[in-house]
Amino acid sequence: FFLFKVKNLNMWMGSNEGDGNFFVDMHTLKKNLFAPASDWEWWRGKRQVIIGIDLSLSRDNTAATFMWFDVKSSQYYVKNLVFYPKDMEEEKTRIERIPYAKWAKQGFCQAIGEEVVDFDEMADIILRICSEYDINIGSVAFDTKYSYTLIKRLLDELPMEIHPKKVEQDSRNLGDAISTLQRIVYNGSFNYAPNPLMESAFTNGLIEFRQGKPYIQKSSKERNKIDNLFSTFNAMKISMYFEQNNLYETEREFFFEL
């Protein structure tokens, strides 16, 4: 909006006025809190769930978003998982000012691997969750970096309806997912399992425009962890693909009735 006012309305504004270009404000986001989704039992038997993944080989966090779209009510439900390397816990807590050990005990994040996140263990966790709670997977959405080991495991061992989809992390490919996710958060169609790391990611993402499309940047690599936001963008991208191609079961039933 800041850039729109400067360019289209020809208004000269101080750079500090652009500070409000956040993806979503906390007050609005909190309205979408859906506590039942924090319990995996709530997810039992859900069908055509999309898993979005954002990976990192550095000390950055790695995230996975489980997204289920209730076609009949047009409501989205998400649960975010955050993983970080165990050996980096103390340093990350000091630098990022995030109580990783405390939040790990509360189930908001999980330490796997030593200096970097162990993607095999991450695959084990995802496979166990899907098996134990009989969660049917529609597809897996992932960025192309660092993903070979994890995606190969999931492709070989996790039944899904369509082949995992690569989502390039640029404005041309993510712009529509960013706009759609922001819209459903503000119109109340988004429901998320409580997680302070996820809330921090959503409220710390700053919008800029590349090629005329929205993109999310972070002001500080150390202090602004927005991995949950990008894993959710990836999931949203594939959910939109399912909608546009009538791949959701209820949509298919309606389509064939016509």
Side-chain angles (χ1 to χ4, degrees):
F1 187 52
F2 170 73
L3 295 177
F4 174 83
K5 287 190 288 186
V6 171
K7 181 177 180 181
N8 296 284
L9 302 182
N10 201 28
M11 296 171 61
W12 180 257
M13 305 178 70
S15 59
N16 63 317
E17 294 187 55
D19 293 344
N21 294 331
F22 41 73
F23 178 71
V24 64
D25 65 276
M26 183 65 81
H27 176 71
T28 299
L29 182 64
K30 286 280 193 178
K31 293 179 181 179
N32 296 269
L33 194 65
F34 185 71
S38 62
D39 189 339
W40 283 113
E41 193 61 42
W42 183 88
W43 292 82
R44 182 178 295 279
K46 293 291 188 291
R47 301 180 60 81
Q48 297 186 303
V49 171
I50 308 296
I51 300 177
I53 297 173
D54 181 70
L55 305 178
S56 173
L57 276 183
S58 69
R59 68 184 180 195
D60 280 352
N61 298 338
T62 283
T65 297
F66 280 66
M67 175 180 286
W68 178 62
F69 179 49
D70 185 348
V71 180
K72 292 182 179 179
S73 64
S74 295
Q75 292 287 315
Y76 295 82
Y77 297 85
V78 301
K79 180 173 172 61
N80 288 72
L81 305 180
V82 181
F83 304 98
Y84 65 93
K86 179 62 178 176
D87 288 357
M88 302 300 297
E89 182 177 89
E90 186 175 335
E91 182 178 353
K92 284 171 65 66
T93 297
R94 176 177 56 82
I95 295 176
E96 299 169 19
R97 300 176 185 174
I98 293 174
Y100 281 101
K102 176 183 176 181
W103 284 356
K105 290 180 180 178
Q106 295 175 319
F108 297 131
C109 53
Q110 189 169 350
I112 57 176
E114 297 177 354
E115 294 185 358
V116 295
V117 170
D118 185 331
F119 292 155
D120 263 322
E121 188 173 351
M122 183 176 172
D124 289 339
I125 292 169
I126 292 173
L127 291 166
R128 177 186 56 77
I129 290 170
C130 292
S131 174
E132 183 175 345
Y133 295 96
D134 189 28
I135 299 174
N136 172 276
I137 301 302
S139 188
V140 174
F142 63 98
D143 57 356
T144 53
K145 289 184 178 181
Y146 323 127
S147 58
Y148 177 79
T149 300
L150 176 62
I151 297 304
K152 186 177 188 308
R153 285 282 313 280
L154 297 182
L155 182 61
D156 291 344
E157 303 176 45
L158 181 64
M160 61 186 78
E161 294 190 15
I162 65 173
H163 197 278
K165 296 285 186 180
K166 296 179 182 179
V167 182
E168 298 293 342
Q169 306 295 287
D170 56 45
S171 59
R172 184 172 65 86
N173 287 285
L174 278 182
D176 55 351
I178 292 171
S179 297
T180 300
L181 183 59
Q182 187 182 50
R183 174 178 56 80
I184 68 172
V185 170
Y186 276 96
N187 72 16
S189 301
F190 181 77
N191 306 271
Y192 72 93
N195 189 323
L197 279 164
M198 176 262 188
E199 292 170 347
S200 174
F202 271 58
T203 55
N204 279 320
L206 299 177
I207 296 180
E208 64 175 39
F209 290 85
R210 301 177 184 177
Q211 301 177 334
K213 297 180 182 296
Y215 190 72
I216 299 295
Q217 64 173 340
K218 51 185 174 180
S219 58
S220 168
K221 184 177 179 64
E222 300 296 344
R223 298 283 170 83
N224 299 108
K225 299 301 178 186
I226 56 175
D227 40 277
N228 285 201
L229 192 52
F230 273 86
S231 63
T232 309
F233 290 152
N234 290 341
M236 176 57 68
K237 182 75 175 180
I238 305 307
S239 180
M240 292 171 63
Y241 176 86
F242 266 66
E243 287 189 77
Q244 292 162 0
N245 291 278
N246 297 307
L247 296 178
Y248 280 121
E249 292 176 347
T250 306
E251 287 184 332
R252 290 203 302 261
E253 292 168 6
F254 176 74
F255 180 77
F256 286 121
E257 285 176 2
L258 294 177

